[in-house]
Amino acid sequence: MKKKAPWAPLNGLLQDLPDDVCDRVGDEVQLVDMPAGKVLHEANVAQTTIYFPREGIVSLMYALESGDTSEFAMVGNEGVVGIGLLTGARSVPTRAVVKVGGEALALRGEFAIREFQRGGAFQEILLRYFQALVTQTAMTGVCNRHHTVDKQLSRWLLLVNDRVGSVEIKMTQEQIAHLLGVRREGITEAARRLQEDGCIRYSRGVIQVLDRECLVARSCECYGVVRTEYDRLLRPALEG
């Protein structure tokens, strides 16, 4: 019977690795705090660590020369931050910033690269995740270009809800506007309409998801594409 790695629960990529991989990773992994606002890696700065969140959300963002920012993907306990290291990219032109605080399992980049190059289960699950992340990134771009702020906000709230496992999201409208790359007034109006429809309740920087199916109905196809791809690529590997 397969034993559970005592350090792995709550991260979907690590929790069901084979025993030999768990033993090697267990000698290297460190549990670290991820307070909201912490920068896990800066743009164009050499990365030395990859992070497997156990809780919380990390926003992958790009900052324009004007100072405006936009989120192109988010990572929770289903994924890993810093996967570019494993593809040979020592640095990337984007930032990884903790938006919802929690904990993560940290691995030195050198060890992670060696383990990845061994092949086997560790490489397989990370390649599956990389493809899922590419899909999320692509659909974020499509959504931001073609869909209304109402649909973008609904999609974003659903993705956050999937990752935090909670109906309560602590984030201001200003913060959400920066992540989506839209004006705060647009988020204010979109949140008001979702609240009037009974999907959410918003008060003092706290959003409560009251009716998830209501959000699904008001979201666009982009959320469904991302969710389906994550389930298709990651669930078989995690359950296999």
Side-chain angles (χ1 to χ4, degrees):
M1 180 177 178
K2 185 183 182 301
K3 65 183 180 183
K4 284 282 187 181
W7 43 263
L10 302 182
N11 181 273
L13 298 183
L14 295 181
Q15 63 182 0
D16 288 320
L17 288 174
D19 291 344
D20 60 327
V21 181
C22 286
D23 290 341
R24 289 193 297 271
V25 173
D27 290 337
E28 296 284 340
V29 73
Q30 291 186 334
L31 183 64
V32 298
D33 288 330
M34 290 198 316
K38 180 177 181 177
V39 178
L40 298 186
H41 68 72
E42 280 286 6
N44 302 312
V45 174
Q47 300 177 49
T48 60
T49 307
I50 66 173
Y51 301 88
F52 295 85
R54 295 181 67 186
E55 54 189 16
I57 291 180
V58 179
S59 177
L60 306 184
M61 307 173 65
Y62 184 81
L64 298 171
E65 291 179 358
S66 64
D68 293 336
T69 59
S70 183
E71 177 185 80
F72 62 87
M74 66 175 73
V75 182
N77 62 7
E78 86 295 345
V80 58
V81 178
I83 197 170
L85 265 175
L86 307 182
T87 65
R90 290 291 177 173
S91 64
V92 292
T94 56
R95 313 175 75 219
V97 184
V98 179
K99 291 301 178 181
V100 177
E103 294 179 333
L105 297 161
L107 278 178
R108 290 185 300 110
E110 291 84 355
F111 170 81
I113 291 169
R114 289 198 304 271
E115 188 63 37
F116 184 80
Q117 291 174 344
R118 281 176 177 264
F122 188 77
Q123 183 186 85
E124 179 185 355
I125 190 61
L126 286 171
L127 287 175
R128 284 177 178 268
Y129 176 72
F130 184 72
Q131 178 57 38
L133 187 64
V134 167
T135 299
Q136 185 190 162
T137 301
M139 297 313 297
T140 298
V142 169
C143 190
N144 291 351
R145 174 65 179 84
H146 293 284
H147 295 145
T148 65
V149 175
D150 294 50
K151 291 183 180 297
Q152 291 179 49
L153 179 59
S154 297
R155 169 188 59 82
W156 186 86
L157 288 171
L158 287 165
L159 289 174
V160 172
N161 183 239
D162 286 345
R163 285 155 179 77
V164 299
S166 170
V167 298
E168 188 172 281
I169 301 166
K170 295 181 180 180
M171 201 166 296
T172 67
Q173 293 180 355
E174 186 75 26
Q175 290 174 315
I176 297 172
H178 281 303
L179 291 174
L180 294 182
V182 300
R183 297 178 61 192
R184 184 185 61 79
E185 292 80 3
I187 295 298
T188 300
E189 286 301 307
R192 179 183 59 79
R193 285 189 285 269
L194 289 176
Q195 185 163 252
E196 289 176 350
D197 290 341
C199 301
I200 65 172
R201 178 184 297 120
Y202 184 84
S203 177
R204 297 182 180 180
V206 177
I207 299 174
Q208 291 180 300
V209 177
L210 301 179
D211 188 339
R212 182 180 167 85
E213 291 308 310
C214 176
L215 281 179
V216 172
R218 283 153 181 76
S219 182
C220 49
E221 63 196 86
C222 302
Y223 170 71
V225 171
V226 173
R227 178 63 187 263
T228 298
E229 194 74 345
Y230 271 73
D231 287 347
R232 181 182 73 84
L233 288 166
L234 299 180
R235 189 164 293 171
L238 297 176
E239 293 178 352

